[in-house]
Amino acid sequence: MKRFKTRAVHVGSHPDPVTGAHVTPVYRTSTFAYGSFERGARMFAGEEPGYVYSRIGNPTVRVFEEKVASLEGAEDAVAFASGMAAISAVAFTFLRPGDELVFLGPLYGGTEGFFFDVLSRFGISVRDASGRPAEEWLSDKTRMIYVETPTNPTLRLNDLELVGKVGGRAGVLTVADNTFATPYLTRPLEHGLDIVLHSATKYLGGHGDALGGVAAGKAEAMAELRSHGLRHVGGSLGAEDAFLLMRGVKTLPLRMEAHCDGAEQLARFLEGQELVEKVYYPGLPSHPDHELALRQMDRFGGMVALELHGGEAAARVFLDSLTLFAQAVSLGDVESLATHPASTTHELLPQEVLERQGVTPGLVRLSVGIEDPRDLIEDLQQALEKVKRRLAM
Ligand SMILES: Cc1ncc(COP(=O)(O)O)c(C=O)c1O
């Protein structure tokens, strides 16, 4: 098997059979002419492969799916219109009324909202087992364990080896959201998990110009996901976005190295600043999950969070003073982004949950882009100086 960087570029990509176009074009078509009564009947009976309708499969989308499957070490992958479409399709395909879903959080707010507000309406119970010992994770109704790693916004890690073992022993489906790490840094299936999924909107696409989601795993599970979660639920990825995502995946290794280089340097810089109370980065020995990060991540990713002395007032001046970091949600773009979780993404959560997750008024989350880290550090430095002056600290 070829190496990761080679597979990112080559897997799934074939010259167009009609024109020879070297890069797979945007197959902007809803339907595919199957040519004859006989062939149509064979294709619908599943006796002959091929495309019939873009909700179920499309050649541009397929290149993206094949790349992700290869990079995650999966037999197959299915793409969706967004990360949430992938997550909901996995849940609707593999859970039934009466089943329990257990998650180890914290989770992306949209995912937690979907679990508690939507899945619960279909008779599926949801239990947060975060911080509980592994012996307490499962009940006799548990059918799925769901984890994210690293988690938002303080970049805590879940032990994938342990999740894979507990799920495997009990015959419970294990699912990991690998959006923050990407397969370049962590491959959950290698640790024994069953399904890995992504908001491809983030690092896989990498340029902040496309929405998408993808799930990968064993061929049989992916066939079920395609026929139920995609074909019947219908959150299909459009060819235009698929083109941008498959192009993004080709440069994933290069971008991730740059994100990691930048984040490592910024985290080290921030750790030395007197205005900064805490820095959260799995690559720092001070991070509570650093040992685990060394075991299950190849590098430590492009996300950094910092807690400022001076609470919300300090965070406000700091964020408003940044010039290279756009204040925006989302992550994984080539451009650097910054958010204040307490007043934006986590605004609706109760105080006790915020405290448990470390979302303090002074917490700022950075998605470190691929700009020159020296320029980013200078930007952080001038913003910290403004905080010091304005708040007379
Ligand atoms: C970890 C994680 N998973 C899933 C999602 C949802 O993805 P999308 O916005 O593509 O639906 C997000 C979005 O921010 C996320 O951060």
Side-chain angles (χ1 to χ4, degrees), residues 81-87 107-111 146 148 150-152 177-180 197-202 210-213 329-331 345 365:
S82 68
M84 288 313 303
I87 293 163
L107 294 182
Y108 166 61
T111 305
Y146 187 100
E148 280 179 21
T151 65
N152 185 31
D177 180 332
N178 199 25
T179 299
F180 272 51
L197 56 80
H198 288 267
S199 166
T201 315
K202 312 299 187 317
L211 284 176
V329 294
S330 200
L331 61 124
T345 48
R365 188 190 81 173

Side-chain angles (χ1 to χ4, degrees), residues 116-133:
F116 282 113
D117 300 343
V118 180
L119 279 189
S120 58
R121 295 187 201 178
F122 294 87
I124 295 157
S125 53
V126 179
R127 186 160 51 85
D128 179 0
S130 316
R132 315 294 310 170

Side-chain angles (χ1 to χ4, degrees), residues 143-158:
R143 293 289 169 271
M144 184 182 287
I145 310 178
Y146 187 100
V147 297
E148 280 179 21
T149 187
T151 65
N152 185 31
T154 56
L155 308 165
R156 297 301 305 264
L157 267 66
N158 277 304

Side-chain angles (χ1 to χ4, degrees), residues 169-350:
R169 243 187 266 132
V172 167
L173 196 76
T174 46
V175 181
D177 180 332
N178 199 25
T179 299
F180 272 51
T182 82
Y184 190 64
L185 303 178
T186 301
R187 290 155 303 281
L189 305 186
E190 284 178 4
H191 298 278
L193 275 77
D194 299 305
I195 292 178
V196 57
L197 56 80
H198 288 267
S199 166
T201 315
K202 312 299 187 317
Y203 287 106
L204 295 185
H207 295 71
D209 52 11
L211 284 176
V214 63
K218 288 246 158 62
E220 199 180 326
M222 292 302 106
E224 199 178 339
L225 183 61
R226 188 179 297 279
S227 67
H228 291 83
L230 185 67
R231 184 178 185 160
H232 292 157
V233 183
S236 313
L237 179 63
E240 198 84 47
D241 278 344
F243 181 88
L244 295 171
L245 296 177
M246 67 103 169
R247 187 172 68 169
V249 171
K250 291 182 188 180
T251 58
L252 177 72
L254 308 180
R255 286 185 288 104
M256 287 314 292
E257 289 289 348
H259 287 298
C260 293
D261 286 344
E264 279 167 26
Q265 290 178 47
L266 266 59
R268 275 200 300 272
F269 163 78
L270 288 166
E271 213 172 34
Q273 301 303 305
E274 56 176 334
L275 267 189
V276 178
E277 192 173 338
K278 235 187 249 173
V279 180
Y280 297 95
Y281 186 63
L284 292 176
S286 59
H287 191 277
D289 299 320
H290 181 59
E291 288 304 313
L292 183 53
L294 289 171
R295 271 193 276 135
Q296 70 183 34
M297 298 185 81
D298 293 334
R299 289 189 72 182
F300 307 106
M303 302 299 296
V304 178
L306 60 138
E307 192 178 322
L308 289 163
H309 286 295
E312 187 180 311
R316 186 183 289 257
V317 175
F318 179 73
L319 282 161
D320 283 346
S321 303
L322 292 170
T323 59
L324 288 175
F325 292 79
Q327 285 192 63
V329 294
S330 200
L331 61 124
D333 295 359
V334 290
E335 289 94 356
S336 289
L337 306 172
T339 47
H340 181 243
S343 64
T344 59
T345 48
H346 289 63
E347 191 243 346
L348 293 175
L349 294 181

